[in-house]
Amino acid sequence: MNERLLEILPDIKAIAWDTCHKIYLLMDEEQVELMVGYGYGDDMIKATDSTPEMLLNTLEDWYANSCGLRFIQAVTTKDDPNEGFEDIIAQFSDSGEE
């Protein structure tokens, strides 16, 4: 994975995947609750139920098994929700189509 992911890994509260291409790093408890509400509960791993190494291994597995539109974004609660997204691995970054 990349350097930014390794940098924020200790601060992640949970990771979530739509089982297709959207992988999220949830950086606060409000985002965890929002994603549960959006239906990500079955495809979410909370940091309190895992280790950083297990989270990283899971992210690598999810990414490898995602479709070509895959991306990883960190999501933090902000006053303007659109400002809360940070590309960790942007869509198409590994395909040459960016």
Side-chain angles (χ1 to χ4, degrees):
M1 286 284 159
N2 70 25
E3 188 175 311
R4 178 67 178 137
L5 174 58
L6 297 176
E7 180 182 306
I8 65 172
L9 189 62
D11 299 322
I12 293 171
K13 303 299 182 208
I15 58 175
W17 182 36
D18 74 345
T19 70
C20 183
H21 67 281
K22 299 174 186 174
I23 301 171
Y24 296 108
L25 313 176
L26 309 175
M27 303 306 295
D28 56 58
E29 292 300 330
E30 188 171 338
Q31 290 302 317
V32 172
E33 293 305 315
L34 280 171
M35 288 296 185
V36 169
Y38 295 155
Y40 281 80
D42 291 338
D43 296 294
M44 176 184 294
I45 299 172
K46 293 184 177 183
T48 56
D49 298 331
S50 191
T51 66
E53 294 81 15
M54 291 169 62
L55 291 175
L56 184 59
N57 288 339
T58 300
L59 288 168
E60 289 172 341
D61 182 57
W62 287 352
Y63 193 79
N65 289 294
S66 292
C67 70
L69 298 174
R70 63 189 172 192
F71 62 81
I72 297 178
Q73 288 183 327
V75 188
T76 304
T77 302
K78 302 278 185 176
D79 287 336
D80 178 349
N82 294 323
E83 292 178 4
F85 291 87
E86 175 189 354
D87 284 335
I88 303 301
I89 299 178
Q91 200 167 39
F92 305 118
S93 66
D94 60 357
S95 68
E97 298 177 32
E98 205 170 358

